[in-house]
Amino acid sequence: MEHSREDEIRDRLADIAGPDPGPAERALLGRLIRSYLAKTPANVDRLGELLRGGDTATLREHAHAMKGSASNIGANSLATVFAEVEQAACQGIVGDPELTLGRIACEQALVLEILEKLADADEAQVPFRS
């Protein structure tokens, strides 16, 4: 059975806080989600700058950090794209910036929509795991 992006994110959040999080765990998840929502657009902008002309070492480090952030919230497809950028940079290769940023934008839009929905669900005390 295939897991949707939302299932992957919900499963990861449940791994962090348990299937029925209490107030402290919900607060932690809320901070995690809001931090990701706040920081990701600027981090993607920076990645774009690096893809268009930064050195591969800085690109690799930035892509690695973004991969970790995406993995931490269960955004596995987005983490995979960042991992590909990181791996290419390790080899001294910078892929086509527009193609790469297009892939990231598509995945990011899906992830941010899910996280916004889960942040709203958290405020309504809805369980993170379906």
Side-chain angles (χ1 to χ4, degrees), residues 18 23 38 40 46 61-62 65 67-68 72 87 90-91 101 111 126:
T40 297
R46 176 67 178 139
E61 291 171 11
H62 193 69
K67 175 187 75 175
N72 283 341
Q87 185 61 32
C90 283
Q91 299 171 3
L101 291 169
V111 168
V126 175

Side-chain angles (χ1 to χ4, degrees), residues 5 10 17-18 28-29 40 42 44 49-50 55 64 70 84 94-95 102 112-113:
R5 284 171 184 81
R10 282 179 178 274
L28 170 68
L29 294 178
T40 297
V44 170
E49 293 169 7
L50 294 169
D55 65 277
H64 177 79
E84 291 169 4
V94 177
L112 296 182
E113 179 182 345

Side-chain angles (χ1 to χ4, degrees), residues 48 51-52 59 85 88 93-104:
L51 284 166
R52 291 184 183 101
L59 175 61
V85 172
I93 299 167
V94 177
D96 179 283
E98 300 316 311
L99 178 64
T100 302
L101 291 169
R103 289 180 62 209
I104 290 169

Side-chain angles (χ1 to χ4, degrees), residues 15-73:
D15 286 345
I16 293 169
D20 188 23
E25 291 86 4
R26 283 188 167 283
L28 170 68
L29 294 178
R31 286 191 306 272
L32 179 67
I33 290 169
R34 283 176 183 75
S35 174
Y36 192 86
L37 288 169
K39 293 178 181 178
T40 297
N43 284 334
V44 170
D45 289 345
R46 176 67 178 139
L47 187 73
E49 293 169 7
L50 294 169
L51 284 166
R52 291 184 183 101
D55 65 277
T56 55
T58 304
L59 175 61
R60 181 195 57 75
E61 291 171 11
H62 193 69
H64 177 79
M66 293 188 72
K67 175 187 75 175
S69 293
S71 293
N72 283 341
I73 58 150

Side-chain angles (χ1 to χ4, degrees), residues 2-13 70 73-81 103-115 117-118 128 130:
E2 183 179 324
H3 267 80
S4 71
R5 284 171 184 81
E6 184 172 341
D7 290 338
E8 291 174 349
I9 291 170
R10 282 179 178 274
D11 287 348
R12 177 62 184 135
L13 295 176
I73 58 150
N76 300 333
S77 296
L78 185 57
T80 296
V81 178
R103 289 180 62 209
I104 290 169
C106 288
E107 284 297 327
Q108 176 182 307
L110 295 170
V111 168
L112 296 182
E113 179 182 345
I114 292 164
L115 290 175
K117 181 171 92 174
L118 291 176
F128 283 98
S130 349

